[in-house]
Amino acid sequence: MIYYLSGLQQIPEELYESAEIDGASAWQKFMKITVPLIKPTTVYVLTISIYGGLAMFTESYMLFNGNNSPNNMGTTIVGYLYRMGWEQNQIGLASAVGCVLLTIVMVINVIQLKINGTLGGKREE
């Protein structure tokens, strides 16, 4: 919410005033001014949220007293990486899991950036 509050505070009031003079409704001001100008903030929030969700480790580690959840139901991909690398001393497998995690995160973020038009979009001139 702090990111969105900061993004909203960066939108100049003059844009809303000029839209009001032109007869724009509140919905039109929101859709034509607020949404496009808050797009960089949205892209940033989505990116860090995706990363945060996939990199979750501490919560499950603390909740299940290490990586010892019943039937491994609480094990995250980073928890699995930790288990293989440190607890079972299979550094090669842990490295491979880390590379797969990196690839998954990169693919998800590239798809998200394409959908938002940030990556490979048409440039306005």
Side-chain angles (χ1 to χ4, degrees):
M1 292 309 297
I2 292 174
Y3 291 121
Y4 280 111
L5 180 62
S6 174
L8 288 170
Q9 288 176 345
Q10 297 301 316
I11 300 174
E13 278 296 317
E14 293 83 18
L15 294 175
Y16 292 113
E17 291 172 5
S18 64
E20 192 170 324
I21 291 170
D22 289 341
S25 67
W27 179 253
Q28 289 172 329
K29 288 190 277 189
F30 176 73
M31 290 305 292
K32 302 290 183 179
I33 297 173
T34 306
V35 171
L37 292 178
I38 207 81
K39 187 176 179 181
T41 304
T42 302
V43 169
Y44 178 72
V45 168
L46 281 173
T47 302
I48 63 171
S49 297
I50 290 168
Y51 172 74
L54 289 172
M56 185 177 74
F57 170 73
T58 306
E59 294 86 351
S60 65
Y61 190 80
M62 297 299 288
L63 183 65
F64 294 111
N65 192 22
N67 280 324
N68 302 320
S69 63
N71 295 328
N72 294 323
M73 289 174 44
T75 304
T76 62
I77 190 165
V78 178
Y80 181 74
L81 187 149
Y82 177 82
R83 179 183 294 161
M84 290 299 115
W86 292 106
E87 294 174 359
Q88 296 182 6
N89 201 24
Q90 296 179 356
I91 301 296
L93 180 60
S95 177
V97 169
C99 290
V100 169
L101 177 62
L102 174 68
T103 304
I104 291 170
V105 169
M106 292 291 288
V107 167
I108 289 172
N109 278 321
V110 166
I111 290 170
Q112 179 253 38
L113 291 173
K114 285 242 186 223
I115 289 172
N116 285 322
T118 307
L119 184 68
K122 295 179 183 176
R123 293 189 177 195
E124 296 179 15
E125 294 185 31

